[in-house]
Amino acid sequence: EPEVTQTPSHQVTQMGQEVILRCVPISNHLYFYWYRQILGQKVEFLVSFYNNEISEKSEIFDDQFSVERPDGSNFTLKIRSTKLEDSAMYFCASSNRGLWEQYFGPGTRLTVT
Amino acid sequence: KNEVEQSPQNLTAQEGEFITINCSYSVGISALHWLQQHPGGGIVSLFMLSSGKKKHGRLIATINIQEKHSSLHITASHPRDSAVYICAAPHYGGSQGNLIFGKGTKLSVKP
């Protein structure tokens, strides 16, 4: 069964460093999403991406964040200058039908020290 | 903007018990998601439903669109069902946009 994959599974970085979280969505999917979950809190939407552009973003997704689909398979989330409060689990999801039937990746746990 | 509320927040059950987790939302929606989050953190989509009832193995999800309420039932619960169960609804109700998540229900099934 096709699945969404994410790398790395755990990333530790120092405050102020740039990180890139990588996702490989399911191959025929057209809609891509990033969510995050701070430890002990609920999952929050960050950004959605369709047709090579951002279709929606939340208040969390400020200028420090960017997304890219550099080739036909990867979908990346970049945080330019990490802060302690960026420590969270980041989930990628993809879909062929918008909010219908989203498939989630296993997550990347980001720890900012 | 949709508000998603789940209850209970925590649930402890004995193996074999019938489990019910509730979810209510404030804005009429096109569909609602039930997700399972394992202790390791990964999220698995269990159901996406827009009306009536869906069943997958021992899991049953129901939704009442008029009452803006959904339930997730687990029959003959097992320790491996221990996880956090999360419901999520479209932010604006439709099929576009993004999902709003509930806080989750942490289920612990004791042998």
Side-chain angles (χ1 to χ4, degrees):
Chain A
E1 187 174 325
E3 58 181 17
V4 177
T5 59
Q6 289 185 242
T7 55
S9 56
H10 189 191
Q11 170 111 37
V12 181
T13 190
Q14 287 193 322
M15 198 166 53
Q17 296 295 305
E18 174 183 285
V19 293
I20 297 176
L21 309 183
R22 290 184 167 79
C23 169
V24 179
I26 293 172
S27 63
N28 64 338
H29 283 186
L30 303 174
Y31 299 84
F32 313 108
Y33 306 83
W34 282 103
Y35 298 93
R36 82 167 185 193
Q37 185 180 34
I38 295 170
L39 188 65
Q41 298 187 22
K42 52 181 163 180
V43 179
E44 301 172 287
F45 167 75
L46 289 178
V47 66
S48 59
F49 192 87
Y50 172 73
N51 202 24
N52 283 320
E53 60 183 23
I54 290 174
S55 45
E56 188 162 350
K57 59 183 180 180
S58 72
E59 295 165 353
I60 303 166
F61 194 88
D62 61 21
D63 292 343
Q64 292 299 312
F65 291 88
S66 62
V67 288
E68 199 176 33
R69 190 153 159 81
D71 51 43
S73 59
N74 290 284
F75 180 50
T76 61
L77 174 69
K78 183 194 290 186
I79 309 175
R80 287 192 186 82
S81 177
T82 50
K83 307 185 190 74
L84 294 175
E85 54 265 36
D86 293 327
S87 295
M89 183 77 100
Y90 289 81
F91 295 99
C92 169
S94 72
S95 168
N96 212 16
R97 301 172 67 195
L99 294 184
W100 301 80
E101 292 185 350
Q102 283 198 17
Y103 292 82
F104 286 82
T108 292
R109 186 172 298 281
L110 176 65
T111 302
V112 182
T113 61
Chain B
K1 178 184 170 179
N2 220 338
E3 301 285 342
V4 176
E5 300 289 337
Q6 280 186 245
S7 63
Q9 204 169 334
N10 292 284
L11 185 54
T12 301
Q14 287 297 127
E15 184 173 354
E17 283 185 5
F18 181 82
I19 304 290
T20 296
I21 299 169
N22 296 299
C23 176
S24 60
Y25 49 91
S26 57
V27 173
I29 60 171
S30 54
L32 182 126
H33 294 253
W34 279 103
L35 310 163
Q36 181 190 55
Q37 185 168 32
H38 295 289
I43 289 178
V44 173
S45 184
L46 297 175
F47 295 103
M48 192 277 300
L49 68 165
S50 55
S51 64
K53 178 163 81 172
K54 281 193 175 179
K55 186 174 189 290
H56 182 70
R58 294 179 295 104
L59 300 177
I60 303 166
T62 63
I63 190 167
N64 185 318
I65 296 291
Q66 287 74 31
E67 294 186 4
K68 299 187 180 63
H69 181 269
S70 177
S71 293
L72 177 69
H73 305 286
I74 306 175
T75 61
S77 58
H78 190 275
R80 65 174 174 266
D81 297 325
S82 297
V84 176
Y85 293 84
I86 301 169
C87 69
H91 190 168
Y92 302 112
S95 63
Q96 301 302 315
N98 63 86
L99 292 176
I100 298 292
F101 295 76
K103 289 183 179 177
T105 295
K106 185 174 181 180
L107 172 65
S108 178
V109 182
K110 307 290 186 191

